[in-house]
Amino acid sequence: MERTQLFDLMGELKLYGMKAAFDEIMATAVKRQHEPQRIVGDLLNAEISEKQARSIKYQLTIAKLPLAKDLDDFQFEGTPINQTLVNDLAGGDFITQQRNAVLVGGTGTGKTHLAIAIARSCIRSGVRGRFYNVVDLVNRLETETRNGRQGRIADHLTRMDFIILDELGYLPFAQSGGQLLFHLVSRLYERTSIIVTTNLAFGEWPSVFSDPKMTTALLDRLTHHCDIIETGNDSWRFKSRADDQQTTRARAVSATPTSSDGASATAKTRRQRGSKLDADRGSNLDAD
């Protein structure tokens, strides 16, 4: 059978991974005189790998993660963050154990970055998740209630392996919204793992939900099986920006002519055409 005919058959069967790897596998097989069983096995493995890659890409898309952040991009040095615990969470065991995680700390301390990085690592391991800003989720819950469709979001999320509730406490919402969020967390309890990022200590949560008893019940469910990651209160984004500004000032000082003869120094600078100071382009700031 001709190569083009084989490719047509692979296309009809949607064996895209096998089709993409065919030429390379066959060339290696001829060179190393592989047995037919080895060739078929290599083609099947190529197909499996391609399907897994497509599945991961799809799950990353439907997770609605706002940014592409990984643990390799995060600077743990100089922070109070338990890196070992973060790495354990990224391994995904907390999901199989139906545990939750709460990342608590000040603005700019890397909570959202870590939550996204943990989520991406877990999704690459084959689980499904969904990212929500808390206020956006509450608005969705209120909208479905007004439309007489209460419970549909909860039904959908119980089929997820984990969800992220980002920025709890940054913006207030109505008591009715807090009640809907409480009912959602109750539905997900010991079904779907929850990752929460917040700038509030647990004792401050009643200020968000406006009902101390309901807040106590929510915390009881959320923290029953839970890992706490404290990110501190010192914004590393602010520190990074300050360090960049200091570097810029240092470069400017070092570039200043030191000769006491200002006119001579200026003339020398003009003669040295093509000499330029490197401009500091600023820092690439990460998400909280």
Side-chain angles (χ1 to χ4, degrees):
M1 186 176 288
E2 296 293 330
R3 175 177 177 274
T4 53
Q5 293 176 304
L6 289 173
F7 274 24
D8 288 342
L9 292 174
M10 291 177 189
E12 288 185 23
L13 294 172
K14 299 182 179 180
L15 300 175
Y16 304 119
M18 189 179 292
K19 184 177 179 180
F22 180 83
D23 288 337
E24 181 181 353
I25 289 174
M26 293 306 297
T28 302
V30 171
K31 181 179 179 180
R32 300 184 181 179
Q33 298 181 341
H34 288 166
E35 295 291 329
Q37 296 91 333
R38 170 71 181 272
I39 298 172
V40 173
D42 289 344
L43 288 170
L44 292 173
N45 284 328
E47 182 61 29
I48 291 171
S49 296
E50 196 274 342
K51 277 183 166 54
Q52 290 174 338
R54 276 194 290 134
S55 176
I56 290 171
K57 183 178 180 181
Y58 173 72
Q59 293 300 333
L60 286 171
T61 299
I62 66 173
K64 303 295 184 182
L65 300 171
L67 296 168
K69 297 295 182 182
D70 292 303
L71 293 183
D72 291 341
D73 306 324
F74 193 85
Q75 298 293 331
F76 287 94
E77 186 177 355
T79 73
I81 299 170
N82 186 336
Q83 185 175 358
T84 300
L85 177 55
V86 171
N87 289 334
D88 287 345
L89 291 171
D93 286 343
F94 80 102
I95 293 175
T96 59
Q97 297 169 5
Q98 296 177 326
R99 296 179 61 84
N100 302 319
V102 176
L103 293 89
V104 56
T107 301
T109 56
K111 301 183 297 299
T112 300
H113 183 142
L114 292 174
I116 292 173
I118 291 169
R120 284 170 60 84
S121 177
C122 292
I123 289 172
R124 292 190 188 104
S125 299
V127 303
R128 298 177 299 169
R130 182 67 162 85
F131 179 99
Y132 286 102
N133 176 280
V134 169
V135 174
D136 290 342
L137 177 58
V138 168
N139 289 337
R140 286 170 179 254
L141 293 171
E142 291 181 327
T143 298
E144 76 164 5
T145 299
R146 286 195 300 270
N147 294 336
R149 298 181 177 182
Q150 187 171 359
R152 293 197 176 188
I153 292 176
D155 289 340
H156 173 67
L157 294 181
T158 55
R159 295 192 291 271
M160 290 289 175
D161 297 300
F162 73 90
I163 67 167
I164 295 175
L165 302 180
D166 190 43
E167 295 190 340
L168 176 68
Y170 282 81
L171 292 173
F173 42 77
Q175 185 173 0
S176 59
Q179 292 171 345
L180 292 172
L181 186 59
F182 167 75
H183 288 303
L184 174 63
V185 172
S186 298
R187 282 285 306 276
L188 300 181
Y189 177 59
E190 294 188 332
R191 290 185 179 183
T192 301
S193 293
I194 303 174
I195 301 174
V196 177
T197 72
T198 180
N199 63 335
L200 300 178
F202 290 138
E204 298 175 295
W205 284 34
S207 65
V208 175
F209 293 95
S210 305
D211 186 333
K213 290 184 178 180
M214 183 180 67
T215 306
T216 300
L218 183 145
L219 284 171
D220 180 64
R221 288 163 173 76
L222 187 65
T223 62
H224 183 204
H225 311 290
C226 187
D227 294 299
I228 311 297
I229 298 173
E230 297 184 12
T231 60
N233 291 311
D234 295 331
S235 170
W236 67 269
R237 285 189 304 207
F238 181 81
K239 181 179 182 300
S240 176
R241 183 161 59 247
D243 290 344
D244 288 342
Q245 291 172 350
Q246 290 177 1
T247 302
T248 302
R249 288 196 296 269
R251 287 175 179 172
V253 170
S254 64
T256 302
T258 56
S259 171
S260 58
D261 186 351
S264 176
T266 302
K268 183 178 179 181
T269 302
R270 289 174 178 171
R271 285 196 301 269
Q272 293 177 341
R273 293 180 179 179
S275 166
K276 296 180 179 180
L277 294 178
D278 293 332
D280 190 321
R281 299 180 181 273
S283 60
N284 182 15
L285 302 181
D286 288 320
D288 181 17

